[in-house]
Amino acid sequence: MKTSTANASAGVEAGLTASDIKKNYLPWRWEQGVAFNDSVIGIPTDVGGLQVAYRTDLFKKAGLPTDRVAVSKLWPTWEKFIATGKQYVGKLTPAQKKAGQGFIDDAGSIYAAVMNQGTTKYYERNNTDAGKLVYKTNPQIKKAWDTTVTAIDAGIGARLGQFTSDWNIGMNKGAMATILAPAWMLDYIKKQAPDTKGMWDIADLPVGGGNQGGTELAIPSYSKNKQAAYDFLTWYLAPEQQLKVFKTYGLFPSTSVLYDDAALLEYRDPFFNNAPIGQIYTKGVLKLKPIFEGELQRAIDSKFGAGLGRVASKKMTSKKSYDLVISDIDKLFKN
């Protein structure tokens, strides 16, 4: 499809197809909206990005460094992140522990972070829309599971489910010292815990590079106004508009042409101790690779989430719960 000359808008030249504007976008994010035969299904609105939001005041009380560069150096690996968490929890008083305070809001969030640092999840590309199932053989899955279980067993989590009322309250009361925060979550933190302005900062994610979230916009084949929809879509998702949306709502741009733009790299957020969030999230998203996702991706995710929940609540051992997860996923493909 091409944009019409009359309706072409800022940042979009007339007559460009979706493939023509591909060069503007982060390669691995663009690939998430492309079918196996290279047809473009959707154009990415944003990149979830993933870094670590941390409370400088709580780090100081625990005797940990507060400078974002020094904090990032604490955890080059997930093992070091968990070790730092154990050190933090070790400084909590019995009363604080009883109240449920922890180093990270939910240790379970580590699973998705580790999974997204790989190159394959539950499916791999095989020249079909469906892809090939690899949930039994992909070593990244077991790595993510084992890392998360280690964090759960270490007792570093406050066990506060994200986007629950308890999570919001805990954010205000200092129940957690860190949150694995995609770029879009920063705006949520601001709105839910406005009185914590200046207490937060942003450090690098362990290993480096992470993503959580991000969507595509597409035009259905049955649309009656495909050209008008495409004209709007390409205008809205052009670099100029994505930069404005990022500064207003925190949705990190999927247009990689902005990644060396001073307007993005020098953007700082006063709420997060004037952290150069544009620079920090740019550095992270550039390290990732495309991951093929299949039809039952979310259903499989939920099975692993439930399995980790059983481990966290001590209802089942890690091995038994993992085996049950695989069995439950098998059933998804028998129905």
Side-chain angles (χ1 to χ4, degrees):
M1 181 176 290
K2 296 184 178 181
T3 54
S4 64
T5 303
N7 290 332
S9 305
V12 182
E13 299 176 21
L16 294 184
T17 65
S19 295
D20 290 329
I21 63 174
K22 174 181 176 179
K23 65 181 183 298
N24 290 339
Y25 292 81
L26 182 63
W28 66 264
R29 272 296 285 127
W30 179 266
E31 285 299 316
Q32 290 183 326
V34 178
F36 76 96
N37 60 0
D38 291 331
S39 61
V40 178
I41 300 171
I43 298 177
T45 62
D46 66 301
V47 183
L50 194 66
Q51 301 291 3
V52 182
Y54 68 97
R55 285 279 295 266
T56 57
D57 57 328
L58 299 180
F59 268 48
K60 184 176 181 179
K61 288 180 181 178
L64 295 170
T66 59
D67 173 75
R68 66 182 70 96
V69 174
V71 170
S72 297
K73 290 180 178 178
L74 288 174
W75 48 62
T77 65
W78 285 105
E79 290 75 18
K80 293 288 187 181
F81 181 80
I82 295 170
T84 303
K86 291 174 70 175
Q87 182 181 346
Y88 178 87
V89 171
K91 296 293 181 68
L92 295 176
T93 66
Q96 288 173 322
K97 292 178 181 179
K98 187 176 181 180
Q101 294 186 24
F103 176 66
I104 186 172
D105 55 342
D106 180 8
S109 64
I110 292 174
Y111 176 80
V114 176
M115 281 298 296
N116 287 330
Q117 289 178 326
T119 57
T120 306
K121 287 186 180 178
Y122 314 124
Y123 298 80
E124 66 180 20
R125 191 181 297 277
N126 70 342
N127 296 319
T128 69
D129 276 329
K132 176 185 176 183
L133 285 165
V134 293
Y135 64 90
K136 293 182 181 180
T137 58
N138 178 15
Q140 188 72 15
I141 298 173
K142 197 63 168 63
K143 178 181 179 181
W145 175 278
D146 289 344
T147 302
T148 307
V149 169
T150 298
I152 291 171
D153 290 345
I156 67 172
R159 296 192 64 184
L160 293 172
Q162 293 187 346
F163 305 107
T164 62
S165 58
D166 287 342
W167 188 60
N168 296 337
I169 294 170
M171 209 182 295
N172 283 277
K173 293 189 174 182
M176 72 286 280
T178 64
I179 298 175
L180 303 186
W184 50 263
M185 188 184 285
L186 303 188
D187 188 61
Y188 187 91
I189 293 174
K190 292 179 190 177
K191 291 178 178 177
Q192 293 299 322
D195 293 338
T196 62
K197 179 179 180 179
M199 298 178 186
W200 295 91
D201 209 321
I202 307 295
D204 294 341
L205 193 72
V207 181
N211 186 63
Q212 183 180 323
T215 58
E216 282 79 35
L217 291 182
I219 302 171
S221 60
Y222 52 80
S223 173
K224 294 181 180 179
N225 299 292
K226 291 186 179 70
Q227 187 61 55
Y230 185 78
D231 292 342
F232 171 77
L233 185 152
T234 49
W235 169 81
Y236 176 68
L237 297 182
E240 295 90 333
Q241 279 62 256
Q242 288 208 23
L243 182 60
K244 292 177 183 177
V245 170
F246 169 64
K247 291 183 176 181
T248 306
Y249 301 108
L251 300 182
F252 193 77
S254 58
T255 45
S256 56
V257 292
L258 289 172
Y259 293 178
D260 59 359
D261 191 325
L264 176 67
L265 297 177
E266 295 177 7
Y267 180 72
R268 294 175 177 270
D269 194 322
F271 191 95
F272 293 91
N273 198 29
N274 285 317
I277 59 173
Q279 181 185 117
I280 293 171
Y281 280 91
T282 295
K283 180 174 63 175
V285 300
L286 284 172
K287 294 181 179 179
L288 299 183
K289 304 294 182 182
I291 295 178
F292 181 85
E293 298 195 356
E295 181 181 5
L296 296 182
Q297 184 81 24
R298 299 295 172 262
I300 297 173
D301 270 333
S302 69
K303 297 299 183 184
F304 277 101
L308 289 167
R310 291 191 292 267
V311 176
S313 61
K314 301 187 184 306
K315 293 181 179 178
M316 207 172 277
T317 65
S318 174
K319 185 182 185 307
K320 286 186 178 180
S321 189
Y322 189 88
D323 290 344
L324 180 55
V325 168
I326 298 301
S327 175
D328 286 343
I329 295 172
D330 286 342
K331 292 175 185 176
L332 291 175
F333 296 97
K334 291 179 182 177
N335 296 332

